[in-house]
Amino acid sequence: MARQYQDTQSQNFWKESILKESQFRLSWLEKRKNGETPLVKSRNYEVFRKKIEDNKPSDDLFNRLPKITKEPHYNRKKADFNEPLGLERAMTAPIDVSESGMRPVSPKSKSSLYDGFTKEGKGRKLYLDQRNHIDPEKKFFFPFLSSWEYGWRQGDVIKREEIKKPTYGRKRIVDDTFYTRNGIQSGV
């Protein structure tokens, strides 16, 4: 909202009220520094304290609760130093198919994971590049996402040799698989 022009009398009123307020603040701060006026506690504090005290649970309830016990730290499982570490452990680890749904990684790919640094193009980068070139059907036992179901096991329907670079940017694979399978006439 735009400020409206006022007459001299109202301007002087605002000027005096602002000056009065600032002088009051300064005097209050001075008194506060000298310790003359203590901080006034809010009445809400007392009200909340009373409500908490009135609604506190009975001692009988505390007696019925089970005691909290902490397990001692000296009962920890001791390390088995004969257990294989690193790559050997990863190669021999049991695989739970139901949990991950992923087929086991070949030992060659797994060994490339632990060989070198990503910055050099080895290690994790090389491993991920190798895994990226593998089809999802060869990496997973079943479609992990619902969107994977559209192209899942497409290699059984169409051979890779039949897929050629399309003329004018159209993909013939959509016409050959989607339209004929569902009985819809092609719109070409």
Side-chain angles (χ1 to χ4, degrees), residues 9-10 35 37 41 43-44 76 126 133 146 163 173 180:
Q9 186 179 8
S10 60
T37 55
K41 286 189 179 178
R43 177 95 172 109
N44 291 340
R76 290 185 181 168
L126 181 64
H133 292 296
S146 62
I163 301 173
I173 189 168
T180 56

Side-chain angles (χ1 to χ4, degrees), residues 43-55:
R43 177 95 172 109
N44 291 340
Y45 175 75
E46 290 297 321
V47 171
F48 288 138
R49 188 177 61 75
K50 243 183 192 211
K51 280 185 180 180
I52 290 171
E53 285 177 357
D54 292 344
N55 294 326

